Amino acid sequence: MHRVTRRTWIVWLFLLILLGGMGFFLWEYTTQAAQWASFTGSPHIYHGAYLESGSVTDRSGQVLLNFHEGRNYASDAATRKSTLHWLGDRNRNIRSTVVNSYAAAMSGFDRVNGLYNHTQWQEEGKTVLTLSAQVQNTAMAALGKRRGTVGVYNYKTGEILCAVSSPSFDPDNVPDISSDPDGAYKGVYLNRFIQSTYPPGSIFKIVTTAAALDTVPDILDQTFTCTGTYEYGIDKVTCEKAHGKVTLKSALAHSCNCAYAQIAEQVGKANMEQYVKKFQIMEPLSFDGFTTAAGNYDISKAAPVELAWSCIGQYTDLVNPCRYMAFMGAIAGGGRGAEPYLVSHVTSGERETYRAKTQKSPQIMSAQVAQTLQEYMHNNVQTIYGSGNFPGFQKVCGKSGTSQLGGDLTSNAMFSGFILDEDYPLAFVAVVENAGYGSANCVPVLSKVLTACKQVMDQE
């Protein structure tokens, strides 16, 4: 009797193992089958290193890449160069993540029929990006030979219209990058928009302002005196000139470091850590197979003067351009913006196999704080940068930054902001490396890029 009982338990044990294994397989199949079928090099949809067929287009339908007998890029060199960091090169020094991430959808894979339609009928697949080749080319031309990145997205839908990384190169006319005597191609394989982090400089004062609005009850009634220096014993925070008495609004407009040192004291270390975390600006952002670089805000061991510099956007602060652009979108959206994405939709033959959906970020700040930031940043453009630099838009809001790098290095130029316009709900970021002042170097670039965005949106 005992022997029968033991055998029964053994049978049940094996049955449970079998059912558990089947359950695990079904779960894996449900979540991973598309990746199994479309892994790079799959003989079903790849011919050598390239897809057998299919194409990638921009938002207007311009072909950026097709796979008819190899990897064939756009017909013009400017577009090949401006979209390289999203499509990859032939030597795979730059990954074609967009293509690989949507290979299954382009091939028409589904969990019931697998790749039957593709293998039987060779249906043509197409991935449509949210990028505009026209805007990409405008941004790349505006950057010229300077290193940096420009990003623009629709903060209501999440569509990225522009995301360029410079330097770049024409994949149909590859330069000799290995012998680069003047450093023209330094970091060329890096997609600066998603893979780089930068000291933010004064664009980070937006973060400090938001924290102050929420934690210092009488901050709007205060004035701060700037004599050009604010001392911490033998250490000090400096401004380029004495700004005299300023309010929070005018301190932001004139980017007064001394005022923000005083504001930092009132906000305090604990609140700055809490709000940086709440705003998520240091967290990686993932979309369409890409994950952005994480930022850095570590003030755990910061002395008072170091806390002040961190609130000004220096010290050890680092931000990723794409993530910070999304932060701008959240402010424009009343504390909650759309998450950025790059792929609009994918078709296989006549069937649509994927379509992006707008996903909203969490509410990272109150609508009241967001509205005050909108007002202050619009004042920056009106009184400092000049509304005339952004023709055709109702209400442009922005903040410049000149991020010091130390030593003999020329500062990075930074600019971020958004447009409060129902027809053109755009948030943007620009970085020009080792260029100097943020507004002088970034505003002319953004003026051209945003005008190109307007032209494209008007045509749609």
Side-chain angles (χ1 to χ4, degrees):
M1 184 69 180
H2 292 294
R3 185 179 300 172
V4 172
T5 301
R6 283 197 299 271
R7 288 176 177 173
T8 303
W9 278 109
I10 291 171
V11 170
W12 275 108
L13 178 61
F14 277 110
L15 182 60
L16 287 172
I17 292 172
L18 177 63
L19 291 174
M22 291 177 63
F24 179 75
F25 172 77
L26 289 173
W27 179 81
E28 284 275 290
Y29 181 78
T30 301
T31 58
Q32 304 294 326
Q35 286 78 8
W36 295 345
S38 62
F39 72 92
T40 304
S42 167
H44 303 293
I45 59 176
Y46 283 85
H47 182 73
Y50 306 134
L51 289 173
E52 285 187 339
S53 62
S55 61
V56 180
T57 77
D58 81 336
R59 65 190 295 119
S60 69
Q62 180 177 341
V63 176
L64 307 177
L65 180 66
N66 74 64
F67 295 96
H68 297 289
E69 299 182 357
R71 176 179 280 258
N72 307 290
Y73 293 89
S75 58
D76 65 291
T79 301
R80 293 195 296 267
K81 185 177 178 180
S82 70
T83 58
L84 174 69
H85 286 92
W86 299 108
L87 303 177
D89 65 329
R90 291 188 178 89
N91 294 324
R92 289 181 279 185
N93 292 309
I94 301 172
R95 294 182 60 195
S96 53
T97 304
V98 165
V99 175
N100 296 337
S101 297
Y102 289 91
M106 288 176 69
S107 68
F109 172 86
D110 66 64
R111 292 185 180 89
V112 176
N113 296 309
L115 292 170
Y116 176 80
N117 288 329
H118 179 77
T119 56
Q120 293 297 313
W121 309 110
Q122 288 294 302
E123 292 186 335
E124 183 78 8
K126 182 170 69 173
T127 296
V128 180
L129 304 184
T130 61
L131 294 176
S132 163
Q134 177 182 333
V135 180
Q136 290 285 106
N137 295 347
T138 299
M140 188 62 75
L143 284 172
K145 295 182 179 180
R146 298 174 295 179
R147 292 189 295 272
T149 183
V150 181
V152 183
Y153 95 120
N154 185 319
Y155 59 79
K156 288 191 174 182
T157 65
E159 300 165 277
I160 300 174
L161 282 78
C162 175
V164 298
S165 181
S166 177
S168 186
F169 61 86
D170 180 353
D172 281 352
N173 187 21
V174 181
D176 185 2
I177 295 171
S178 59
S179 59
D180 183 21
D182 57 358
Y185 295 101
K186 182 180 178 181
V188 71
Y189 298 135
L190 190 69
N191 186 332
R192 285 165 157 79
F193 182 66
I194 58 172
Q195 294 176 305
S196 290
T197 57
Y198 295 93
S202 290
I203 65 172
F204 194 81
K205 286 172 180 166
I206 299 298
V207 179
T208 305
T209 303
L213 287 168
D214 228 21
T215 60
V216 184
D218 63 341
I219 191 69
L220 296 178
D221 300 321
Q222 294 188 41
T223 57
F224 309 93
T225 301
C226 172
T227 61
T229 61
Y230 190 76
E231 297 183 352
Y232 294 83
I234 61 172
D235 296 314
K236 60 185 178 181
V237 167
T238 59
C239 281
E240 288 195 337
K241 66 176 183 179
H243 293 105
K245 285 190 176 181
V246 293
T247 62
L248 180 63
K249 184 176 183 178
S250 58
L252 182 67
H254 294 285
S255 208
C256 178
N257 290 344
C258 294
Y260 271 87
Q262 298 168 63
I263 294 166
E265 291 178 346
Q266 297 188 56
V267 175
K269 184 183 292 187
N271 280 329
M272 281 304 299
E273 290 175 327
Q274 175 187 341
Y275 278 85
V276 167
K277 183 176 181 179
K278 181 180 179 181
F279 297 155
Q280 301 181 345
I281 53 177
M282 302 303 167
E283 300 298 320
L285 183 65
S286 296
F287 58 92
D288 298 318
F290 301 93
T291 299
T292 66
N296 181 73
Y297 188 76
D298 184 1
I299 55 172
S300 57
K301 298 179 181 179
V305 68
E306 292 168 330
L307 172 63
W309 280 118
S310 78
C311 293
I312 294 166
Q314 296 292 159
Y315 189 44
T316 62
D317 301 8
L318 293 171
V319 298
N320 168 259
C322 180
R323 169 53 87 174
Y324 206 80
M325 180 189 73
F327 175 57
M328 291 293 103
I331 297 172
R336 188 185 187 200
E339 299 283 4
Y341 64 87
L342 187 72
V343 175
S344 170
H345 60 277
V346 182
T347 58
S348 178
E350 296 182 355
R351 296 182 302 126
E352 184 173 270
T353 53
Y354 170 81
R355 179 165 289 274
K357 295 180 180 179
T358 297
Q359 296 184 349
K360 293 289 187 177
S361 70
Q363 188 79 26
I364 62 170
M365 66 180 66
S366 69
Q368 183 177 356
V369 168
Q371 184 176 359
T372 302
L373 292 176
Q374 292 170 7
E375 176 192 339
Y376 284 13
M377 293 175 71
H378 181 50
N379 175 66
N380 293 349
V381 174
Q382 287 182 307
T383 61
I384 305 298
Y385 312 126
S387 298
N389 286 313
F390 304 98
F393 298 109
Q394 292 180 5
K395 196 172 183 181
V396 180
C397 309
K399 179 72 186 83
S400 67
T402 305
S403 57
Q404 299 172 2
L405 304 177
D408 297 328
L409 295 174
T410 304
S411 300
N412 288 339
M414 315 282 285
F415 202 97
S416 62
F418 46 86
I419 302 171
L420 295 177
D421 190 322
E422 287 297 318
D423 294 325
Y424 313 105
L426 302 173
F428 50 83
V429 66
V431 182
V432 185
E433 297 178 16
N434 308 120
Y437 290 107
S439 59
N441 289 281
C442 293
V443 168
V445 172
L446 285 166
S447 178
K448 295 175 183 177
V449 173
L450 292 173
T451 297
C453 287
K454 182 179 183 298
Q455 292 171 350
V456 168
M457 295 174 79
D458 285 344
Q459 293 167 5
E460 295 178 344

